[in-house]
Amino acid sequence: MMESAETLATTTTRTPIYKWLLALLAAAVIVTAAFAWLQTTEAAPPAVTAHSFGEGSVTWEIGRYPAKVLELNDFRLTLNTSSGAPLQNAHLSIVLDMIGMNCGNYSFELTETAPGVYEGEGMPLMAGTWKATLSLETAEGSYTIARRLTAVH
């Protein structure tokens, strides 16, 4: 039985489209696998980090690490002047923002609990890598310091 020219033309044009879609699907699988592999090989950010800013330095500690998802986690920041003295009477706030996701931010303020020591509690909303951005205001100026942290279930 012979097919009409119209049927043959339709069959011939569909074959390359299916091959193209299959190739696109294969490429998507490869890219997804590579991206997942790169994320798992990235070293987890440490629990304690040290940073410098215009007036001095800050040591940033996360009490229980990695941080726990949907639980309050203790953040302790120790500020020192360039000469090593405790930096007192500063205003500190932190915004937690999950990297690469749009799941919402979590903001909180820190309170000075000892000379130059500031404490507060933050809550990551999902497991993964988060960016924590510190806003630091002193009598001398305003500074922004960022670090990464890991959150788990």
Side-chain angles (χ1 to χ4, degrees):
M1 182 170 182
M2 283 186 82
E3 295 182 6
S4 70
E6 185 177 310
T7 304
L8 287 175
T10 304
T11 304
T12 322
T13 57
R14 286 187 184 169
T15 304
I17 292 173
Y18 288 123
K19 287 182 181 179
W20 181 81
L21 289 174
L22 184 59
L24 185 62
L25 179 62
V29 168
I30 291 169
V31 168
T32 301
F35 190 66
W37 179 77
L38 287 173
Q39 286 185 342
T40 58
T41 58
E42 182 180 304
V48 179
T49 58
H51 310 267
S52 331
F53 61 97
E55 295 176 51
S57 64
V58 58
T59 302
W60 191 329
E61 300 173 62
I62 302 172
R64 179 177 48 175
Y65 197 76
K68 299 295 180 192
V69 172
L70 296 176
E71 293 183 27
L72 291 173
N73 296 272
D74 296 326
F75 286 73
R76 180 182 178 144
L77 283 72
T78 305
L79 277 60
N80 291 303
T81 64
S82 299
S83 64
L87 181 62
Q88 297 179 272
N89 302 318
H91 180 264
L92 283 72
S93 62
I94 294 176
V95 175
L96 299 179
D97 178 29
M98 188 169 193
I99 296 172
M101 295 293 284
N102 193 11
C103 68
N105 298 341
Y106 186 90
S107 303
F108 60 101
E109 295 197 11
L110 292 95
T111 304
E112 189 169 11
T113 58
V117 178
Y118 299 81
E119 296 181 359
E121 295 178 319
M123 182 185 309
L125 306 174
M126 292 176 62
T129 304
W130 287 73
K131 178 181 171 188
T133 304
L134 169 67
S135 295
L136 168 61
E137 295 178 27
T138 69
E140 302 296 320
S142 297
Y143 308 93
T144 301
I145 300 169
R147 66 156 291 173
R148 292 176 181 238
L149 63 98
T150 300
V152 297
H153 289 282

